[in-house]
Amino acid sequence: MNAMKKHWKKLVAVLAVVLVAFAVGRWSAGDSDDGGGDTTASTGDEVGDEPEIWTCPMHPQIQEDEFGTCPICHMDLVPLDDGGAGDDDMPAVRLSEGARKMARVQNATVEDGAVTGELGVYGRIAVDEQAEVDISAWTGGRIERLLVQSRGERVTRGQLLAQVYSPELVSAQRTLLQALENKENAEASGSDRRARAAQASLDAARTELRLLGIDARQVEQIEDSRQARETVDIYATATGTIQARHVTEGDYVTTGDAILSLASLDTVWAQLEIYERDLRRVSVGTPVTVEVPALDGEELDGRISFLSPDVDPQRRVARARVVLSNEEGELRPGMYLRGRVEISEEGDEVLSVPKSAVLWTGERSLVYRYDRDLDPAGYVAQPVKLGARIGDRYVIREGVSEGDEIAARGAFRIDSELQIRGGPTMMSAMHDEGIMPLSDGEIVEVPEEGTDFHPPIDPDQLPEGVWYCDMGTTHWAQPEKGDDECPLCGMRLTEKVAPEHDHDHDHDHDHGEDFDDGGHHDH
């Protein structure tokens, strides 16, 4: 018992010494102060310091207590700070040179002048409808023989196609032979008047046969043989490929019925699909370069010869026609092709920026302007009114001036940084205004060559089985995995699966260091 009391006395004594030392330290610190306000220790952290937070520039919802990589995109985390807000009340993002390099942010200036570029379109080879020919029956009868049996067969002008039995034609031939005999008898009688009458009857019989589809060569053969043929030959009136066979052997036809349809493939049409938003920049005479993948990417130059006056209500496209020469016959109807249409916008004070600088959701668009008047300088969100997209640039109608410095690359990362601090951003606008769908609940079509979406769409609008770039919204999708990389931003693609399997699917994006100069986000 006495030992325990001694132990407690020693413990109390030690605590008393610690308290006295602490009080003396506080008194000494206050006495050494010159009245200049708060003081902090020269080494170590302040007692009230918050632990440093690390976040992902692309996924600001990720916040960790220590440095590492983002569990979604595997990008290195960066410190979560106030961005050097300074004394200015304007919400802005300040990035040191090191932070700018880490986020791969690059600036560009707003340019003034004509904007030229190429509009990428797709289409297919089609038959030149102006070269289509119908082989028709000149008189009623029965198809005794049909020498062309299937579509796709190539025929030449003058080739025998069919033989038709027609009682009317047989009667007309007999009339011809009788008229020919009457003429010979009239000439033998020596009567000029009778000879002239017989010649007129012969000419009328020949004309009747020609009106029934018998050409001069066949009439001559009938006169030479002095026999009426039971069948009449039908010949091709043009060189081409059989597009349709309308009858079979034994069928009866009436005057004017089509027997065969053929088309010359010496020229073909390139039918290009132009989206309605691009129609005002395309017109008859616009130069086009057509590339045919099936011919090892062979390129052909032409001009738009016709632009459809209506728009497909389902696909929202109009067709533009380009006439192509096909003397070698390599271009076949149905072949897939790509086209590049030359477009431009000219005029006074045409301002433009790189397309990667623009963020947009629906009708709202903005760029991040680098304001050097701030202290320190920083990026400020600047709403803009967009004009046409031409090539890799957007025309800007309102919001910026010539020479303004903007973030040409990394605008999405700047927007994410501002979102972390709760400022007004494009991301917050997406939540407030919603994503602009093509229509409520509409499932979009994804062509075999892939497609980009302006504006981005909700992933729920994609059909199952496609591969797409998942940024919360979708700006690119393609039907096959391919090289597993988004051609717009370089991110790894995600497969769209049925909702019941979503929990098993890993949204694996690769935001690695392999971004190239063309790997911009196109929002």
Side-chain angles (χ1 to χ4, degrees):
M1 188 70 176
N2 291 333
M4 291 184 64
K5 289 182 177 180
K6 290 180 179 180
H7 177 73
W8 279 103
K9 288 180 179 179
K10 289 181 179 180
L11 182 59
V12 171
V14 171
L15 293 175
V17 171
V18 173
L19 293 173
V20 170
F22 178 75
V24 171
R26 293 284 293 174
W27 174 81
S28 299
D31 189 47
S32 63
D33 190 5
D34 294 333
D38 297 337
T39 61
T40 58
S42 59
T43 60
D45 296 334
E46 293 183 16
V47 176
D49 277 353
E50 293 288 340
E52 190 172 51
I53 303 298
W54 297 79
T55 187
C56 174
M58 295 295 294
H59 300 90
Q61 70 272 24
I62 301 300
Q63 297 187 6
E64 303 290 347
D65 294 336
E66 57 184 15
F67 174 77
T69 59
C70 174
I72 299 177
C73 66
H74 310 297
M75 190 177 184
D76 288 343
L77 301 181
V78 298
L80 172 62
D81 56 25
D82 60 1
D87 297 330
D88 204 307
D89 293 334
M90 180 178 294
V93 174
R94 277 87 170 180
L95 297 176
S96 65
E97 189 64 27
R100 186 183 301 179
K101 290 181 179 180
M102 180 181 294
R104 295 189 292 277
V105 175
Q106 297 180 3
N107 290 355
T109 57
V110 178
E111 297 181 2
D112 181 14
V115 184
T116 60
E118 293 181 336
L119 176 67
V121 294
Y122 304 96
R124 296 188 183 276
I125 298 295
V127 172
D128 183 348
E129 296 178 6
Q130 296 178 348
E132 290 183 329
V133 177
D134 282 339
I135 306 298
S136 302
W138 288 72
T139 185
R142 183 179 68 249
I143 304 296
E144 289 292 309
R145 188 180 178 196
L146 191 63
L147 286 79
V148 178
Q149 299 296 331
S150 62
R151 58 187 308 270
E153 292 187 41
R154 184 172 178 80
V155 300
T156 58
R157 183 183 180 90
Q159 179 178 336
L160 179 62
L161 301 179
Q163 292 179 326
V164 178
Y165 170 76
S166 171
E168 185 179 1
L169 283 173
V170 173
S171 175
Q173 291 178 77
R174 290 173 178 171
T175 300
L176 172 68
L177 295 177
Q178 184 63 51
L180 182 61
E181 183 178 351
N182 292 340
K183 178 189 175 187
E184 292 174 348
N185 292 335
E187 290 177 347
S189 68
S191 172
D192 292 340
R193 178 178 177 185
R194 183 179 174 186
R196 287 195 299 270
Q199 182 64 48
S201 297
L202 179 60
D203 291 342
R206 289 171 176 170
T207 301
E208 181 181 6
L209 283 175
R210 284 197 293 270
L211 292 176
L212 292 176
I214 306 299
D215 59 27
R217 180 184 57 180
Q218 291 175 294
V219 171
E220 184 177 348
Q221 291 174 351
I222 295 171
E223 292 180 357
D224 291 340
S225 65
R226 298 300 178 101
Q227 291 184 352
R229 301 180 56 185
E230 293 186 353
T231 59
V232 177
D233 296 336
I234 297 180
Y235 296 93
T237 56
T239 298
T241 302
I242 300 297
Q243 299 297 305
R245 177 172 59 87
H246 304 291
V247 297
T248 58
E249 289 186 1
D251 288 348
Y252 281 84
V253 294
T254 59
T255 304
D257 285 350
I259 298 175
L260 298 167
S261 296
L262 60 88
S264 172
L265 298 181
D266 292 338
T267 61
V268 293
W269 288 351
Q271 296 279 32
L272 305 176
E273 295 183 344
I274 311 292
Y275 283 99
E276 59 182 348
R277 64 173 177 264
D278 300 318
L279 285 174
R280 71 181 187 87
R281 303 199 303 278
V282 177
S283 60
V284 173
T286 300
V288 179
T289 298
V290 174
E291 178 185 348
V292 186
L295 301 181
D296 299 326
E298 180 180 346
E299 293 187 347
L300 304 169
D301 294 328
R303 292 180 178 272
I304 293 177
S305 61
F306 175 79
L307 191 60
S308 175
D310 55 357
V311 173
D312 187 313
Q314 299 297 325
R315 306 187 60 218
R316 315 309 307 169
V317 296
R319 288 194 171 185
R321 177 193 309 161
V322 179
V323 179
L324 301 176
S325 176
N326 189 34
E327 295 180 357
E328 301 297 327
E330 293 183 325
L331 300 176
R332 301 172 182 268
M335 275 185 172
Y336 165 77
L337 55 84
R338 292 189 289 262
R340 301 192 303 274
V341 182
E342 295 182 15
I343 56 176
S344 64
E345 178 139 347
E346 302 177 354
D348 297 334
E349 299 181 357
V350 177
L351 303 179
S352 65
V353 299
K355 69 176 183 180
S356 57
V358 179
L359 300 181
W360 64 327
T361 57
E363 297 181 355
R364 183 183 181 192
S365 307
L366 62 81
V367 298
Y368 276 94
R369 181 173 54 85
Y370 190 62
D371 193 341
R372 295 185 179 275
D373 293 333
L374 299 179
D375 187 16
Y379 293 94
V380 180
Q382 177 63 54
V384 294
K385 182 177 179 181
L386 291 182
R389 174 188 167 184
I390 301 179
D392 59 355
R393 300 187 71 81
Y394 271 112
V395 174
I396 304 297
R397 304 299 185 194
E398 297 177 3
V400 294
S401 302
E402 180 186 2
D404 283 353
E405 196 171 356
I406 59 172
R409 291 190 63 182
F412 189 83
R413 297 180 177 89
I414 295 173
D415 193 80
S416 300
E417 176 67 19
L418 194 56
Q419 184 192 20
I420 293 172
R421 294 189 235 124
T425 68
M426 182 57 66
M427 294 296 293
S428 61
M430 290 172 66
H431 293 292
D432 295 340
E433 302 175 6
I435 303 165
M436 291 293 290
L438 300 183
S439 68
D440 293 339
E442 178 183 355
I443 300 299
V444 301
E445 294 184 7
V446 179
E448 61 184 62
E449 66 275 4
T451 185
D452 54 346
F453 298 102
H454 303 286
I457 66 170
D458 191 310
D460 290 341
Q461 294 179 254
L462 294 171
E464 294 177 12
V466 303
W467 291 79
Y468 66 101
C469 187
D470 186 9
M471 296 286 293
T473 58
T474 298
H475 60 240
W476 174 265
Q478 59 192 45
E480 302 292 339
K481 184 176 181 179
D483 58 6
D484 195 23
E485 184 176 283
C486 175
L488 302 180
C489 65
M491 291 177 61
R492 293 279 296 279
L493 299 179
T494 300
E495 184 180 11
K496 176 66 181 296
V497 296
E500 57 269 24
H501 301 301
D502 283 346
H503 63 282
D504 296 328
H505 192 67
D506 180 17
H507 298 273
D508 184 15
H509 295 299
D510 183 5
H511 292 264
E513 300 297 328
D514 57 348
F515 277 72
D516 56 25
D517 290 340
H520 302 316
H521 291 286
D522 187 8
H523 297 275

